[in-house]
Amino acid sequence: LRTQDVEVGRLAPKAPLRGKLEASTAIEATAAQWAGLEAAIVTRSSFVIRQATIEGIDLVRATTAGDARGGHTTLDTLRGELATRGLPPAMTVRLTALEARSGLLSARGEVGVSAQRALEGRIVVDVAGGLAGVPLVLGGTTSSPSVSPSRATLLGTAAGTAIAPGVGTAAGARLGESVSRELDRLLGGR
């Protein structure tokens, strides 16, 4: 299934995302009985959204002021892979290989959306003329998203700033996030 130049709001009116969508989607479902078919529907899409606006999150503000609730992020392009399982209201969504670009920033990451519309993800943001490689944690819900530095990032930033202000700040943030991910992996986290 191919989608070309379709406004995201027409496909997903409640989504906090707007822009012109191009996508290639595959749909499959396998179930032992008809009753299980709805939950077995899986989609996989590669997409690009041009002139994208993400409502409720200001990624530039998140890199400098902490929590970025409210506001919006305007992007030239947002691209990635989308996988869904099931149908609404029980549908889960996974966005991977995300890459966002605008004149002010570039970002990469991944985001999951539970059937209850809870958000969970990680994003790394580079701001033009500012910080590079700032790791952020995405949480909240689709109707009230939040983006903020993780605790490990904040600790790494403080340590990096103390050691080498400026360059050490960004390096400390990345180091703090790397240590956090490794501990999560070792202790059975995701």
Side-chain angles (χ1 to χ4, degrees):
L1 177 65
R2 296 196 56 75
T3 306
Q4 184 87 24
D5 204 30
V6 175
E7 174 56 47
V8 173
R10 294 191 72 199
L11 297 175
K14 293 183 181 180
L17 179 63
R18 296 293 175 258
K20 299 290 185 177
L21 173 69
E22 295 175 25
S24 176
T25 302
I27 303 170
E28 66 180 59
T30 305
Q33 299 177 7
W34 280 103
L37 192 59
E38 224 175 75
I41 294 175
V42 174
T43 69
R44 288 181 186 78
S45 302
S46 294
F47 69 88
V48 176
I49 302 172
R50 299 189 194 294
Q51 301 165 345
T53 301
I54 304 170
E55 295 295 338
I57 296 174
D58 184 336
L59 288 177
V60 174
R61 192 172 74 217
T63 64
T64 57
D67 189 15
R69 288 181 193 260
H72 65 276
T73 300
T74 301
L75 304 167
D76 297 330
T77 59
L78 173 62
R79 68 178 65 239
E81 303 291 322
L82 169 80
T84 67
R85 176 171 292 282
L87 293 176
M91 183 169 67
T92 60
V93 177
R94 190 85 194 142
L95 295 149
T96 57
L98 291 173
E99 293 180 15
R101 301 224 181 274
S102 78
L104 288 177
L105 67 86
S106 65
R108 58 200 175 281
E110 60 183 46
V111 177
V113 184
S114 74
Q116 294 75 32
R117 313 315 326 139
L119 297 170
E120 178 184 12
R122 293 180 185 260
I123 304 166
V124 177
V125 179
D126 297 312
V127 179
L131 296 173
V134 179
L136 302 171
V137 175
L138 177 64
T141 64
T142 55
S143 61
S144 182
S146 68
V147 178
S148 58
S150 68
R151 286 187 210 112
T153 300
L154 292 173
L155 288 172
T157 300
T161 301
I163 294 168
V167 135
T169 302
R174 286 191 298 274
L175 177 61
E177 188 63 20
S178 296
V179 169
S180 175
R181 281 186 187 213
E182 187 61 21
L183 286 173
D184 282 350
R185 187 186 68 75
L186 290 172
L187 299 174
R190 50 179 208 144

